[in-house]
Amino acid sequence: MQRPFGSSSSPAKPYFTIRMREPPVRQAPTGHDRFQGYTGRLDLRLEVVSEYLHVGGGGIDVTGPQGREHAYHTFARRDGQLVIPGTSIKGAVRAVLEAISNSCVGVAGRREDAGRDHRRCQNTGALCPACRIFGTTGWRGRAHFPDAAPVGDVQAQVVKIADLWRPRPTKARKFYRSGQFRKLDPRPERNHRFLEAVPKGSVFATSLVFENASAAEMSLLLRAMGLDAARDASPTAAFWVKLGGAKPRCFGAVSFRPLALRLVGPGASLVRDLARGGSPQPVEERLREWLRETSLLHEPSWREFREQSGRPGDGYCPEGLY
Ligand SMILES: [Zn+2]
């Protein structure tokens, strides 16, 4: 059955909000000067689980039969190959991490006002968990993602969507749900636009690269990618992360699958480890161990996030204004 978000009594919204109630716990960040905690690389497969993913490259191209061409927004590319920029992945993961760790709202212009306590950290000697991990002005972060390259044959398509409006400001953190995209008549039309997008099932390869991270920080990073593990079970996607453009149109739900883990140093093996890119680790055991460490997790927000984020198939995203 086709079920829109919401009900007749509450308007259908493709998003949910997380209200931040208490001020962030701010601390001095872990330095870059010596090895402590975990340094290494978690190789990941990122799979598109919504109908489409569009990550804009800032360009416009033209398609369609001669005389009736129309413009579309291109997907990001590097050396002619489709790519998901690592900064886009980081932005999406950081937004979730901020919400589930009661951190500051790190990116301005999202039209989210979570209150004075959650304005961006100013003092590099007292940073919220997200700024300690991903950095802020004057403080280099300790986690990033390289650009994600396609695995196998990934073919982009040009897809029509109804125009998006500038979101209304909210007094909370705002996240888009994962729902189903409703296909539109492909002919050009007013108040519509075309996006180059990759379809459901497209797979990309990336890694989480981390430096001097504690187990509690690794736990936050894994959860912010939607990963969780029941006791003795493999870490799997507990929810999908939303990435790229047209999120209100149900684009951009992705799942992360951990593939391999390498850790570096400390101690005598450090130089050898660095040269080899780290020692391979039993990925499931190590991830489960990290996920058990919840001292930086803001449990009420984490529960709320999991309950509200939904999965593809949970209803159709609205076609027009909402
Ligand atoms: Zn902060």
Side-chain angles (χ1 to χ4, degrees):
M1 197 182 76
Q2 294 192 2
R3 184 164 54 85
F5 289 127
S7 64
S8 51
S9 55
S10 64
K13 285 184 191 141
Y15 62 85
F16 64 95
T17 55
I18 302 266
R19 219 158 272 286
M20 316 293 273
R21 290 178 184 86
E22 32 200 292
V25 179
R26 292 184 161 103
Q27 289 174 9
T30 307
H32 299 283
D33 48 333
R34 63 187 177 87
F35 270 94
Q36 50 190 306
Y38 301 100
T39 296
R41 196 182 82 209
L42 175 63
D43 292 332
L44 299 157
R45 287 286 183 270
L46 183 159
E47 183 173 346
V48 179
V49 290
S50 55
E51 218 59 48
Y52 294 105
L53 166 74
H54 168 75
V55 181
I60 299 237
D61 211 335
V62 174
T63 185
Q66 201 175 4
R68 286 190 298 146
E69 295 94 344
H70 62 86
Y72 66 93
H73 299 261
T74 56
F75 200 97
R77 279 184 171 72
R78 191 185 52 198
D79 303 327
Q81 186 194 45
L82 296 168
V83 73
I84 305 173
T87 47
S88 299
I89 303 171
K90 184 167 116 170
V93 171
R94 178 172 183 150
V96 180
L97 190 142
E98 286 170 2
I100 65 172
S101 64
N102 190 33
S103 286
C104 78
V105 179
V107 177
R110 284 201 202 126
R111 313 257 289 168
E112 297 166 302
D113 180 8
R116 198 174 54 181
D117 288 337
H118 291 82
R119 298 225 173 109
R120 191 169 182 159
C121 297
Q122 297 295 332
N123 173 2
T124 54
L127 297 178
C128 72
C131 287
R132 296 203 295 273
I133 295 170
F134 287 115
T136 186
T137 309
W139 175 254
R140 181 169 66 82
R142 289 176 288 114
H144 74 274
F145 297 86
D147 293 348
V151 176
D153 185 33
V154 174
Q155 294 289 339
Q157 307 166 15
V158 176
V159 184
K160 179 174 141 186
I161 63 160
D163 267 341
L164 302 165
W165 279 263
R166 193 167 159 76
R168 291 186 201 93
T170 55
K171 288 276 180 203
R173 301 306 313 264
K174 183 172 172 179
F175 293 91
Y176 288 94
R177 292 181 199 277
S178 307
Q180 286 186 34
F181 174 69
R182 216 188 285 270
K183 282 199 169 107
L184 301 176
D185 176 325
R187 283 170 298 191
E189 181 181 1
R190 272 186 69 187
N191 299 326
H192 286 73
R193 66 177 65 186
F194 291 88
L195 305 175
E196 187 181 27
V198 295
K200 183 189 277 187
S202 300
V203 178
F204 291 80
T206 185
S207 307
L208 166 68
V209 180
F210 49 93
E211 186 188 327
N212 292 359
S214 67
E217 290 174 329
M218 292 307 298
S219 176
L220 284 184
L221 282 163
L222 296 171
R223 287 166 198 276
M225 293 190 287
L227 294 168
D228 197 7
R231 183 190 296 273
D232 299 327
S234 308
T236 49
F239 57 87
W240 317 128
V241 174
K242 298 289 299 252
L243 187 67
K247 291 195 269 284
R249 299 283 176 253
C250 281
F251 273 45
V254 300
S255 74
F256 288 93
R257 186 161 53 87
L259 213 63
L261 175 68
R262 285 173 173 271
L263 291 176
V264 162
S269 66
L270 180 58
V271 175
R272 194 189 62 209
D273 275 359
L274 279 174
R276 285 190 193 157
S279 330
Q281 302 282 316
V283 59
E284 281 196 16
E285 284 93 319
R286 191 62 89 159
L287 264 50
R288 270 207 303 273
E289 183 189 315
W290 285 334
L291 284 164
R292 277 197 292 272
E293 171 54 78
T294 55
S295 57
L296 288 176
L297 187 69
H298 190 255
E299 298 270 5
S301 302
W302 167 245
R303 278 197 301 273
E304 220 181 321
F305 201 98
R306 285 193 54 157
E307 279 163 22
Q308 294 212 55
S309 55
R311 281 170 174 259
D314 275 6
Y316 280 83
C317 279
E319 285 168 46
L321 258 178
Y322 54 88

